[in-house]
Each structure stands twice: as structure tokens, then as C-alpha cells.
Amino acid sequence: MTNTFNIAGADGNVMVPVLSETGSLMAYVLYPDTTGTLQELYSCMSIFRESSDHSQRIPRHSSTLFINTSGGTLYQGTPFLHRNAFGCTGQLIINSQSKTKKMAKSASSGGTLPDRIKNDPAFERTRENIAEFSRAGKAAKLMRTIFRDVTINAKDKITQSRLVKVMSRIITTDPVNERGARTVHNGDLQQLQNFNFNVRAGIADSLFVRCPVNFNRTTGEVTVNIPVFIPRNMVQQARGTTHFRIVAAAAAINFDTEQYEYAMQGTPELPYNSDPTQAITLTMALPANSRDTVVAVLGIEYYQRVNSRSYALKSGDHNATSVVLVDKAA
């Protein structure tokens, strides 16, 4: 709150600040000080300034002074509320002891809020939003569950909320069902493409190698082709890294029933050095001719090898897993 001051005039009167219940300045009222006591108390905290028509004392400090209008007592420090403040005419201009107004209860507002949300026609839009938001939350949780083993070190604290946001957008693109009944399955699932489970790093930020991803729905195979590359040139180094590996996973997902088929494969741990790697193809077998949506992810994991034992590095800035394929059945 802005500090508020009493203003002492040369004629013996004082302008007293009137504060609201929240402590903010509402007005000043004229308070007579015929004895000059207040001006004496102000002498160490004010400066004298003259003008052509009047003189007054103006505070020079940020200390806050207040006056009890009923007793004329000077207070310094914590602001309080002036009760029953009077103007120069003797009329009551502010009565702070206002009574709390009670809202009249509407006859149509009976029942508890949960009951009204479930049954009141006025909450129809709310029920629709709740239903669709619930589906988005379940779809987001399903994605995290499916790809848990390749995202355990490649996620952030808001992965779930970011996924829910994407799933909610997907639901709104459902052209089949009415509002409140729209689903993830009927929406534009391509919006999942390039989703990064770790907001700080996507696969393109840590692995600078183009790895083509292919899916054959007839056979159910998902393949990731990793070409020859030099790790020191094409892999973003995490602090302490001696080895790394590239992982891929794919799943055929039914977002309506929450059933899925999952497959995962990764490279062996590769040394982080200047020696060229060998070309590698990662193959994941899913059910042939599946009518479910197929989602594939690609990630990178970092390790530090000590005495022939590898320790996973939980580098939140570089561990990455991203969606690289979304294929919806026609």
C-alpha cells in the first residue's frame, strides 16, 4: 500500500487520511488542532514550504502517520481504519462499520454444486467439457504408460499436461461426434507428430542424423534406418558421456478401448568418439493389418562407463524421445 500522511497546515488544522477496510486511501477529512500539538509532533518529520496564499508542512519521510479522529491521538506505523470520520461541517462522511450484504438464494440454485453439474440444464456445456477433458487426460496417460521405458529419463515435470493439451486439440477436430461425445480416435492424430516428451530436448536437438522411419501396415513392421555417422560430430554430448545408444519404440493403439500392442528395439551402447559407426536398422513387429493407430518414437540415451559397468546419465538437457511416426488406419 502506498504510504499515507497527515498534512499539517499553518492554521492549526490537519488533513486526516481516511482508509478503507483494505487499507487504501479513500479521502482526507479536516481535523482541527487548536493546541498545535500535532504540528509540534510533526516538526522532526516535515519541512516548511511557503507559497503566495498559504503555508503547510509536508512530510519528507516514508514513515506513515495516522490519527484517531475520536481522541486526537497520533499513531505511527501500521495503518488502521478510521471509524466514523467527520468532515469540517460535522457530518459523518464515512462509516466503515458497513454490514456484510447477504446474497439472496435463488430458488433455482438448490442442491449441491456436484449435483447441479450432473443434472442442471444450465451446466450442459460444463458436462460436455468435463467429458472431453477426461478423454484427453486418459489418452495422455496411456501414451506415457506405453512409452515409459524409452522416456524414463527423457521427460519433464509437465509432460502429462502438455500431452493433455495436444489430446484436447485432437478431440476438437473430431468431425463425426457431437460436442461432448468427441474422441481422440476420430480426431486429427497427426498433431502428435514431433511431440517431445522432454520439453528441453527433442531428438533433433540431440541426434543430428537423419533416420528414416517406415511402416508397413500389411506386415505390421516399423523400421528405423540409422546411417553411418561419427558420434562426436553428430551427437550432442551430455556431461560425463562415454557411451550412448539410440532407441526406438512403436505401438498400435486403440484410444477408445485403451488397448495396445507394443514393440521396442535399440542399438548396443556406442562409444562417444570419432570412429564411424556401422549402419543399423531397428525393426519393431506389430500385428499385421491392424486397424489401430500406429505411433512410433525415437530417442537417445546417455551412459557413463566405469570399470566395465555402464551408468545411465539422467541429463534432462539432452536425453530425448520424440514422436516420429503417426499412422492412422484409413
Side-chain angles (χ1 to χ4, degrees), residues 201-220:
I203 189 64
D205 301 311
S206 297
L207 179 65
F208 310 118
V209 181
R210 183 176 178 273
C211 302
V213 182
N214 299 290
F215 170 56
N216 187 322
R217 190 169 287 275
T218 302
T219 62

Side-chain angles (χ1 to χ4, degrees), residues 58-176:
I58 303 172
R60 69 182 179 191
H61 276 246
S62 60
S63 301
T64 307
L65 298 176
F66 299 94
I67 297 176
N68 185 331
T69 58
S70 60
T73 306
L74 183 68
Y75 292 85
Q76 179 175 356
T78 305
F80 63 89
L81 180 67
H82 289 282
R83 303 182 185 277
N84 303 330
F86 291 84
C88 58
T89 62
Q91 295 179 337
L92 180 66
I93 61 172
I94 292 197
N95 183 359
S96 64
Q97 297 174 338
S98 58
K99 297 181 180 179
T100 304
K101 295 181 179 180
K102 295 183 179 180
M103 299 289 291
K105 186 176 181 180
S106 172
S108 62
S109 63
T112 62
L113 183 58
D115 290 337
R116 293 185 62 200
I117 291 176
K118 291 180 181 179
N119 305 303
D120 194 330
F123 286 88
E124 184 177 0
R125 299 285 86 81
T126 302
R127 290 192 291 272
E128 294 169 353
N129 291 336
I130 290 174
E132 293 185 352
F133 185 79
S134 176
R135 293 190 196 101
K138 289 180 179 179
K141 183 178 179 181
L142 182 61
M143 284 283 292
R144 292 179 61 207
T145 300
I146 293 171
F147 297 108
R148 177 178 173 80
D149 59 347
V150 292
T151 61
I152 190 67
N153 293 324
K155 61 183 179 180
D156 55 71
K157 294 181 180 179
I158 58 172
T159 299
Q160 173 69 12
S161 61
R162 292 190 299 109
L163 266 173
V164 169
K165 185 176 181 179
V166 175
M167 293 298 182
S168 296
R169 289 203 308 264
I170 292 172
I171 285 177
T172 62
T173 62
D174 178 359
V176 179

Side-chain angles (χ1 to χ4, degrees), residues 178-194:
E178 296 180 353
R179 180 188 171 98
R182 294 176 294 186
T183 66
V184 171
H185 174 73
N186 289 313
D188 179 19
L189 283 160
Q190 284 297 324
Q191 293 193 41
L192 276 173
Q193 185 77 26
N194 299 321

Side-chain angles (χ1 to χ4, degrees), residues 146 250-254 259-263 285-287 290 292:
I146 293 171
I253 309 171
N254 187 319
Q259 301 297 312
Y260 62 91
E261 296 289 337
Y262 174 79
L286 297 176
S290 173
D292 295 330

Side-chain angles (χ1 to χ4, degrees), residues 24-36:
S24 60
L25 176 66
M26 297 179 64
Y28 277 95
V29 295
L30 193 64
Y31 182 84
D33 179 33
T34 56
T35 64

Side-chain angles (χ1 to χ4, degrees), residues 243-272:
H243 291 73
F244 69 96
R245 75 172 186 144
I246 301 171
V247 295
I253 309 171
N254 187 319
F255 286 101
D256 290 337
T257 64
E258 299 185 26
Q259 301 297 312
Y260 62 91
E261 296 289 337
Y262 174 79
M264 178 268 212
Q265 191 178 19
T267 67
E269 292 182 15
L270 304 173
Y272 186 79

